[in-house]
Amino acid sequence: DAGVTQSPTHLIKTRGQQVTLRCSPKSGHDTVSWYQQALGQGPQFIFQYYEEEERQRGNFPDRFSGHQFPNYSSELNVNALLLGDSALYLCASSSLPLSGGYSYEQYFGPGTRLTVT
Amino acid sequence: EDQVTQSPEALRLQEGESSSLNCSYTVSGLRGLFWYRQDPGKGPEFLFTLYSAGEEKEKERLKATLTKKESFLHITAPKPEDSATYLCAVQAIWGNTPLVFGKGTRLSVIA
């Protein structure tokens, strides 16, 4: 059973450039959430995708956008990169419980380390 | 606004020296409280979910407990391989809402 996968592992970009990060959810999961984790901080929620639509969004500017594909995989796009965008970007997948139970556990991928110079 | 505060920020233990990590939270309505382990440069690894006050869960040397205002992660007789950052997160009761994380506790276990 493959877990959450992300690509690329590392990325170095220059200020003003654009970047696309990719995520494949855990088998059986249909919801993808993206988080940004700065050094020494906990992950901060960016947005969540379900049924190919952005369902919720955290306090991030419009430079951050995303997409979910019919196979539930997802992309995170960041335009006009700033030095402050340097962070570990995490993708987490989850699924609404079929039986109406309580489990909304989110499973994380290994992350993409983005460095903006 | 949902908030999570973890303490201490860093903890250094000798191998075999048991201790506890604290997670204090405020949330409009708690669906679940989650503990994750994160190794440097890696994604968080799921450990436990707790749903209601009084609940306890165990995994090897780790035991998580929950009250109405805080959760504890007890580490019994830790080993060097338990060294990691431990993250606590809460999820509000309304649907598949995002996790709100604390900053984590960085645990070092010295042989």
Side-chain angles (χ1 to χ4, degrees), chain A residues 53-72:
Chain A
E53 290 188 7
E54 182 182 296
R55 296 290 177 162
Q56 298 183 65
R57 189 178 185 92
N59 189 25
F60 279 81
D62 293 343
R63 299 186 297 109
F64 290 77
S65 63
H67 188 78
Q68 185 179 35
F69 299 94
N71 66 353
Y72 309 121

Side-chain angles (χ1 to χ4, degrees), chain A residues 8-30:
Chain A
T9 305
H10 296 91
L11 207 50
I12 299 175
K13 289 287 188 178
T14 303
R15 275 181 300 175
Q17 287 188 318
Q18 178 264 344
V19 68
T20 297
L21 311 181
R22 296 177 177 81
C23 170
S24 291
K26 182 179 168 66
S27 178
H29 285 182
D30 57 10

Side-chain angles (χ1 to χ4, degrees), chain A residues 78-101:
Chain A
V78 186
N79 294 322
L81 285 167
L82 303 174
L83 295 178
D85 295 332
S86 296
L88 182 67
Y89 287 86
L90 296 164
C91 168
S93 73
S94 58
S95 182
L96 292 174
L98 296 176
S99 60

Side-chain angles (χ1 to χ4, degrees), chain A residues 30-31 33 35 37 40-45 48 56 88 90 94-96 101-111 113, chain B residues 31 34 36 38 41-46 48-49 51 57 85 87 91 93-104 106:
Chain A
D30 57 10
T31 302
S33 302
Y35 293 82
Q37 186 177 26
Q41 303 294 313
Q44 296 289 314
F45 173 71
Q48 182 183 80
Q56 298 183 65
L88 182 67
L90 296 164
S94 58
S95 182
L96 292 174
Y102 283 87
S103 178
Y104 287 101
E105 294 156 2
Q106 296 190 9
Y107 291 84
F108 284 82
R113 171 68 61 185
Chain B
R31 174 168 286 282
F34 303 83
Y36 288 85
Q38 186 173 30
K42 303 291 179 63
E45 173 191 348
F46 173 76
F48 304 109
T49 308
Y51 296 109
K57 288 193 176 175
T85 294
L87 295 166
Q91 186 176 45
I93 200 166
W94 314 112
N96 198 2
T97 53
L99 301 179
V100 176
F101 281 87
K103 293 183 178 181
R106 192 170 61 255

